[in-house]
Amino acid sequence: MLDIGALKSKFLSALETATSEEAIENLRVEALGKKGEISLALREMGQMAEDMRQKIGPELNEFRKSFADEIARRKEAFADAALNLRLEAEGLDMSRPARPRNHGTIHPVSQVTEEIVAIFADLGYSVAEGPQLETDWYNFDALNMAPEHPARQEHDTFYMHRDEGDNRPPHVLRTHTSPVQIRHMEKHGVPCRIIAPGRVYRADYDQTHTPMFHQYEGLCIDEGVSMANLKWTLQEFCRAFFEVENVDLRFRASHFPFTEPSAEVDIRCSWAGGQLKVGEGDDWLEVLGCGMVHPNVLSSAGVDPETHQGFAFGMGIDRLAMLKYGIPDLRAFFDSDIRWLRHYGFSVLDRPDLAGGLSK
């Protein structure tokens, strides 16, 4: 006959003396496993007389359940104790400084763009934008560029594909941001003072040229605007951008289809010790092209050239970044070299500010 009292005493005593989670698990298998004593006892009850089964069955089932619960409780207690010991051994001092982590930096092109925007915002200019994929008309015709102009040749400009039989002029990747002038005057009219920074594309690639680069265009249209206003604007820009008190600009006559008269602008500088210093020395550095907006361009934008006139100018943002921050190769701007970005990049807190210094 099954002695339930002896069975209880055996396993409860063994449970009290178990000193590890492993010992508890072994005891569980010995008692409640497939071939465990309690499991076998439950299976043997089918061979007992009914009156004995009714007497012993409930007590044995109750013991099996309570013993299983106690096994689980003790295992959990051992697991918690082991976890506490591990946490104590691997404890962290939360008051210690964190490990240094690398932070991303602002790309020089983005930084210089923000500097340019800050300067011209102070002069009363707003930012205008336009599409990078332009029509032939906006990119060339509206800007008074003749059909035979070299910039319209395929070796200089990226043209989009047209299906066979489609005789419309193909779209182009804009070669300058000047189309934004036309679009802005068409939509908003005049007077206006805007700058148009953005990506432009030309088929060229060397140390100072890349197929994609960044440029910004400036435009001022009103009544009575003259070259004197243009000169003052550029002087103020160069003084603020290069962070010098005095600048000396030299205007050389040139030719651009969209301006008349046109000029290229040089800035006085020195290269003492291989470092560019603006506003001093006997050297001159070309920095931009400019001029009075051609009457044909104004007419293309729906502006009467008899009542309004103005000036426009354009500069390469990448080139300005190279000059100001001593970056020797334009191609490195687009190499995604993390070492280069860490060296020439700017902190996210280095927001361009005229009062505190643009590069601070």
Side-chain angles (χ1 to χ4, degrees):
M1 179 177 169
L2 178 64
D3 188 347
I4 296 179
L7 198 64
K8 287 182 179 181
S9 177
K10 173 184 176 181
F11 285 112
L12 290 176
S13 298
L15 185 61
E16 289 296 323
T17 58
T19 58
S20 69
E21 188 175 356
E22 183 181 2
I24 294 288
E25 175 61 18
N26 291 336
L27 184 60
R28 184 195 68 79
V29 172
E30 183 182 348
L32 303 173
K34 204 176 268 190
K35 296 182 179 180
E37 290 188 40
I38 297 177
S39 300
L40 291 175
L42 286 169
R43 283 202 291 272
E44 289 173 359
M45 287 182 58
Q47 302 172 6
M48 294 182 182
E50 184 175 349
D51 58 336
M52 291 295 295
R53 188 165 59 246
Q54 291 178 351
K55 178 181 178 182
I56 297 174
E59 185 178 1
L60 186 59
N61 272 310
E62 179 64 27
F63 175 61
R64 182 193 64 79
K65 183 178 181 303
S66 62
F67 188 71
D69 292 342
E70 185 64 17
I71 285 282
R73 188 188 67 79
R74 294 290 301 275
K75 285 182 70 174
E76 184 178 356
F78 278 114
D80 289 343
L83 177 61
N84 289 333
L85 288 174
R86 198 181 80 184
L87 290 176
E88 289 178 7
E90 300 175 358
L92 298 176
D93 183 356
M94 301 304 293
S95 65
R96 294 184 63 185
R99 293 188 182 99
R101 299 179 63 185
N102 292 324
H103 296 280
T105 56
I106 302 297
H107 196 284
V109 169
S110 299
Q111 179 76 9
V112 169
T113 300
E114 291 297 323
E115 292 180 14
I116 293 169
V117 169
I119 293 170
F120 280 104
D122 193 56
L123 296 175
Y125 286 70
S126 60
V127 175
E129 297 180 332
Q132 297 178 44
L133 184 60
E134 269 293 6
T135 65
D136 185 74
W137 190 84
Y138 278 108
N139 198 76
F140 297 123
D141 295 331
L143 294 166
N144 199 41
M145 300 180 74
E148 66 275 6
H149 193 279
R152 303 184 76 148
Q153 304 305 310
E154 290 189 359
H155 61 74
D156 196 66
T157 299
F158 293 105
Y159 284 89
M160 299 295 101
H161 173 73
R162 285 285 189 202
D163 290 335
E164 187 176 352
D166 188 343
N167 297 320
R168 294 176 298 168
H171 284 35
V172 301
L173 291 176
R174 66 181 180 186
T175 59
H176 42 194
T177 52
S178 300
V180 180
Q181 297 182 18
I182 308 297
R183 291 182 177 274
H184 183 84
M185 287 189 286
E186 282 182 339
K187 184 175 182 180
H188 301 284
V190 291
C192 66
R193 276 187 290 181
I194 62 166
I195 58 169
R199 293 186 180 94
V200 296
Y201 305 85
R202 296 179 190 172
D204 206 353
Y205 187 72
D206 58 35
Q207 187 173 353
T208 56
H209 299 86
T210 55
M212 185 280 292
F213 57 101
H214 300 82
Q215 187 185 68
Y216 81 91
E217 195 89 10
L219 176 71
C220 175
I221 304 293
D222 206 335
E223 298 178 5
V225 177
S226 68
M227 285 286 288
N229 303 123
L230 170 61
K231 182 177 180 181
W232 178 86
T233 299
L234 296 179
Q235 284 178 330
E236 287 301 298
F237 168 76
C238 291
R239 182 184 62 79
F241 180 77
F242 290 106
E243 300 179 55
V244 294
E245 287 299 320
N246 299 301
V247 294
D248 189 6
L249 299 182
R250 180 175 68 181
F251 286 70
R252 291 182 289 107
S254 186
H255 170 73
F256 304 114
F258 27 79
T259 53
E260 181 60 39
S262 304
E264 291 182 346
V265 180
D266 304 329
I267 190 169
R268 184 183 293 277
C269 65
S270 73
W271 293 95
Q275 183 177 4
L276 173 67
K277 293 184 179 179
V278 172
E280 60 182 61
D282 298 321
D283 293 325
W284 293 91
L285 177 68
E286 180 185 336
V287 290
L288 61 99
C290 64
M292 301 300 292
V293 178
H294 198 289
N296 291 347
V297 175
L298 293 174
S299 298
S300 296
V303 178
D304 186 357
E306 297 296 327
T307 60
H308 290 80
Q309 62 184 21
F311 57 78
F313 53 88
M315 308 183 202
I317 296 175
D318 314 303
R319 177 170 167 77
L320 288 176
M322 293 172 70
L323 294 175
K324 183 171 182 179
Y325 296 112
I327 302 172
D329 193 327
L330 180 62
R331 293 168 293 190
F333 279 71
F334 312 109
D335 284 345
S336 299
D337 187 328
I338 193 67
R339 298 166 301 174
W340 187 92
L341 292 171
R342 286 173 180 165
H343 180 76
Y344 287 108
F346 293 81
S347 166
V348 293
L349 299 178
D350 290 337
R351 303 299 299 167
D353 180 271
L354 289 175
L358 287 170
S359 60
K360 301 294 187 291

